[in-house]
Amino acid sequence: MENYKKIINDIYLEIKNIDDIGKVARYIPELATVSPDNFGVYITTIQKDSFGVGDCDKKFSIQSISKVLSLTLAYRFEGIKLWDRVDVEPSGNPFNSLLQLEADLGKPRNPFINSGAIVVCDVLVSHLKNPKKDFLDFCREIANNPTLNYNEKVAESEKITGYRNIALCNFIKSFGNIKNNVEDVLDFYFHICSLEMSCKELSEIALFLANDNFTTHKGNKVLTNSQAKRVNAILLTCGFYDESGEFAFRVGLPGKSGVGGGILAIHPDKYCIVVWSPKLNLKGNSYKGMLFLEKFTTKTTSSIF
Ligand code: GLN
């Protein structure tokens, strides 16, 4: 851990004031109100050693990183049947693309693009009595953190401007791959995207993907080891949309980004690390976040490859 601490501090100082070519997401108006200068990093190891720098305790909108948690809960309910509804192939297309859905007859390429996550939300709406409350309870249990919550302002802001997601959900429903009411599924989707966490909280909630022996404080295992391996595999191949290859190439860890500027990366058997910097590159991934993690895995020689 001492080694990690020094390297994290050094990289933080090295890139804190670089010329960041990214831009804060504006298509969800509420996200544009966040200061672009926020920059935080937090690492939690499977031994629960931890270290953070910068704005690592400030909550931010985790956006698409919540797709890891919704997939996890749906996988628990459905097991391998889930893959009849959503595939596990990289899409090579932007996160909000409608392009492939027509040829693929409404079956999204993977659960980490919007179309796939919307189908996963539909699966959860079918299983949960009170989807928003029950999903939050699930997150609070694995994080051992009763303070986790949605940001209603962000959810509302996305709902008002959610033309693409509304189109995706309706289009998939036309193929029969959405079983519930479109409004209910989207309301749930917009809420899970609005979940707020700090870098610290996010690094802790993902530990079940790094630690084979993880159980919640209530003694529950979150996924079987085989399921956790598969979720990590999808993260590696699909976690950054049409930049997934680039992230694997430069960083070499399973991970997930969100348009709030967060990136979660997982080193199975070692640690979870989260970087938050709201300015995004053209593919919708945090510019500084990717740069930080590339330097981190290079200097610590701790990628999975
Ligand atoms: N809520 C965002 C959307 O649906 C999530 C996208 C993202 O973080 N890449 O557009």
Side-chain angles (χ1 to χ4, degrees):
M1 192 64 190
E2 287 313 308
N3 180 31
Y4 288 167
K5 278 188 194 171
K6 179 171 174 359
I7 290 174
I8 288 172
N9 258 327
D10 289 351
I11 305 171
Y12 181 81
L13 294 174
E14 181 191 335
I15 71 171
K16 189 173 172 0
N17 296 315
I18 55 154
D19 190 17
D20 189 331
I21 57 165
K23 297 218 169 8
V24 176
R26 300 199 170 276
Y27 75 100
I28 301 172
E30 198 56 33
L31 292 184
T33 64
V34 172
S35 163
D37 300 326
N38 283 297
F39 185 28
V41 183
Y42 204 91
I43 188 167
T44 305
T45 69
I46 64 166
Q47 290 84 17
K48 296 267 175 79
D49 290 328
S50 61
F51 178 69
V53 285
D55 300 307
C56 60
D57 288 315
K58 259 197 210 171
K59 297 214 185 234
F60 61 94
S61 194
I62 72 166
Q63 290 295 320
S64 276
I65 305 175
S66 66
K67 294 178 168 96
V68 183
L69 301 164
S70 51
L71 171 66
T72 297
L73 187 54
Y75 200 9
R76 270 168 68 135
F77 281 126
E78 294 274 320
I80 57 169
K81 287 204 312 285
L82 186 61
W83 315 128
D84 296 338
R85 305 276 306 273
V86 56
D87 215 329
V88 294
E89 288 299 335
S91 70
N93 272 301
F95 62 84
N96 55 5
S97 176
L98 284 106
L99 266 184
Q100 292 157 330
L101 273 175
E102 182 154 34
D104 293 344
L105 304 177
K107 182 174 180 179
R109 288 280 165 110
N110 69 69
F112 294 143
I113 48 177
N114 289 10
S115 55
I118 288 170
V119 168
V120 166
C121 281
D122 181 60
V123 168
L124 290 177
V125 169
S126 295
H127 279 281
L128 301 172
K129 223 163 151 201
N130 300 300
K132 288 186 271 189
K133 180 186 175 299
D134 297 348
F135 179 73
L136 200 53
D137 286 345
F138 167 72
C139 293
R140 287 173 174 177
E141 182 184 339
I142 44 179
N144 191 15
N145 183 345
T147 71
L148 296 185
N149 226 327
Y150 304 120
N151 180 324
E152 290 294 339
K153 266 183 156 177
V154 172
E156 185 59 26
S157 177
E158 182 163 5
K159 191 177 201 164
I160 295 169
T161 55
Y163 308 110
R164 281 219 163 220
N165 289 321
I166 295 164
L168 281 167
C169 195
N170 279 289
F171 197 41
I172 302 169
K173 184 145 178 112
S174 77
F175 290 99
N177 198 17
I178 293 285
K179 314 287 178 196
N180 297 283
N181 200 311
V182 165
E183 284 75 35
D184 295 343
V185 175
L186 285 169
D187 181 57
F188 181 52
Y189 173 78
F190 295 141
H191 274 83
I192 71 161
C193 289
S194 82
L195 259 179
E196 288 192 320
M197 288 184 215
S198 63
C199 296
K200 175 176 188 292
E201 290 167 334
L202 201 45
S203 73
E204 289 169 352
I205 203 172
L207 279 176
F208 72 94
L209 289 171
N211 182 358
D212 283 347
N213 299 317
F214 183 92
T215 53
T216 71
H217 64 104
K218 291 185 181 164
N220 297 321
K221 199 157 168 67
V222 182
L223 291 174
T224 67
N225 292 349
S226 164
Q227 288 174 327
K229 173 192 78 176
R230 292 179 198 282
V231 171
N232 277 314
I234 312 170
L235 284 169
L236 184 78
T237 51
C238 309
F240 295 78
Y241 329 111
D242 46 342
E243 205 170 36
S244 300
E246 181 82 6
F247 190 82
F249 180 75
R250 283 172 50 189
V251 178
L253 293 176
K256 185 75 203 81
S257 63
V259 290
I263 297 184
L264 159 70
I266 296 147
H267 194 315
D269 299 329
K270 284 203 174 131
Y271 59 73
C272 295
I273 186 165
V274 175
V275 185
W276 174 46
S277 165
K279 287 188 177 182
L280 311 178
N281 66 19
L282 290 175
K283 309 276 186 178
N285 299 316
S286 170
Y287 174 77
K288 229 184 239 176
M290 281 190 62
L291 188 62
F292 182 95
L293 290 168
E294 178 178 11
K295 288 179 184 287
F296 178 74
T297 54
T298 305
K299 290 193 179 172
T300 54
T301 61
S302 68
S303 94
I304 61 167
F305 299 110

